[in-house]
Amino acid sequence: MSDSRARDAGRPGTRTIFFAVAGLGSAALVTSVSALNVHSDSTAVAVAVVGGTALLGLSALTTLLLAFRMGSRADAAPWVAAGLSLVLTAVASGLRAGQMLAGGTFTLPGGPELTYMTGMVVMGGVLVAWPLRYREAMRTPAVMLESAVATLAVVALVWFTAGVSILESAKTYGGIEPGQAISFLAFLALFSATAVFTFVSAVNLRTETSIGSWMALFAAAVLVVAGDLAWLGDVTDTSWLPGSLGDFVHIAGHVMVAVGASLRLDSVRAQRLSQNSALDPRGSAAQ
């Protein structure tokens, strides 16, 4: 595909713009109800929990429905997997928030945390797998080296800006044990490596395929990691409440996955239209 055709195929359609505006706006609404409530009453908190979980579920359902409309198995497969990963993380987030609203405390990882991590592993697989479809079109060893260097830089930056304070909070307040905090941070670092690989691969493949949807997926991963870091910081010092800024960022990450799927569907349809326009009425190649 030429540069101009790749750019045309990556233009967002009305559906994609609507999903982005409506999804992010809804995320801001359900989280602000609790955040702006002076007394943090139970109704406002319930709106944040139920509304936030509903948006996570809707993002997962939207992603799956869009994936099934792509037609080609190669186009649909990564987005079906992404949708399934959102199903897992949505279920886990809802269970975890519900437990804490019911008065439970986060002491040891349980079912919600294992479910959530499973969903994250599936998403990490998507972030790594899609570029490998184009491995013959990119300098794979160079991409892997660039990704490794960039990952180290990102992990070091996050460690010194957020990781150290999270670990200190765990030692001081005991919301979770320091060892657990380190384990979660290490897991997020591994997931971040897959996101960096997607970003570097997309940059290298920008002349080969439309990368808008994959950059949206990268943005989604960044938002999810940022939201999880904020949540982890709040949990370690026992200050977490539904409707926090971290919750908005986390939900926005889920929404961006659905936006990425919509962008990919836009791209697939644009490519089909381009191919059809290159054929004469009898089905032979236009001269």
Side-chain angles (χ1 to χ4, degrees):
M1 178 182 294
S2 65
D3 289 356
S4 60
R5 189 173 296 178
R7 286 192 293 268
D8 290 342
R11 291 177 180 173
T14 303
R15 179 194 60 252
T16 301
I17 296 172
F18 171 78
F19 283 162
V21 174
L24 296 177
S26 298
L29 176 63
V30 298
T31 53
S32 64
V33 167
S34 177
L36 297 178
N37 188 277
V38 177
H39 303 291
S40 294
D41 60 40
S42 57
T43 301
V45 172
V47 168
V49 171
V50 176
T53 302
L55 283 175
L56 298 182
L58 284 172
S59 296
L61 178 61
T62 300
T63 301
L64 288 171
L65 291 176
L66 290 169
F68 292 140
R69 294 178 62 187
M70 292 179 191
S72 167
R73 180 178 298 180
D75 287 319
W79 296 102
V80 169
L84 292 176
S85 88
L86 292 193
V87 170
L88 291 170
T89 56
V91 169
S93 294
L95 289 174
R96 183 167 56 198
Q99 285 179 351
M100 298 187 78
L101 276 179
T105 57
F106 182 82
T107 54
L108 293 173
E113 287 68 45
L114 294 176
T115 303
Y116 185 79
M117 288 184 175
T118 301
M120 291 281 279
V121 168
V122 174
M123 182 61 74
V126 173
L127 291 166
V128 171
W130 81 261
L132 297 181
R133 291 172 50 191
Y134 304 94
R135 56 186 175 274
E136 295 181 356
M138 68 178 181
R139 300 168 295 117
T140 304
V143 168
M144 294 181 68
L145 178 60
E146 292 168 5
S147 299
V149 172
T151 298
L152 289 174
V154 169
V155 168
L157 177 64
V158 172
W159 171 253
F160 288 110
T161 57
V164 172
S165 62
I166 288 174
L167 187 57
E168 289 300 320
S169 292
K171 293 177 180 178
T172 303
Y173 299 100
I176 62 173
E177 294 295 326
Q180 291 174 250
I182 292 176
S183 296
F184 283 127
L185 288 169
F187 180 80
L188 290 177
L190 290 174
F191 180 77
S192 298
T194 65
V196 171
F197 181 69
T198 271
F199 176 80
V200 174
S201 298
V203 171
N204 278 267
L205 291 169
R206 63 189 181 279
T207 61
E208 299 295 329
T209 185
S210 174
I211 65 171
S213 56
W214 310 118
M215 293 301 284
L217 196 61
F218 165 72
V222 171
L223 289 170
V224 168
V225 170
D228 283 355
L229 284 171
W231 173 84
L232 185 58
D234 289 342
V235 167
T236 55
D237 63 14
T238 67
S239 65
W240 179 80
L241 284 174
S244 65
L245 179 60
D247 285 357
F248 166 74
V249 174
H250 180 82
I251 296 170
H254 281 62
V255 170
M256 285 304 297
V257 176
V259 171
S262 185
L263 270 172
R264 187 58 185 171
L265 182 56
D266 290 339
S267 175
V268 168
R269 289 182 170 177
Q271 290 175 26
R272 290 173 183 166
L273 287 174
S274 178
Q275 291 169 357
N276 291 337
S277 66
L279 297 176
D280 65 20
R282 295 173 298 175
S284 59
Q287 300 299 318

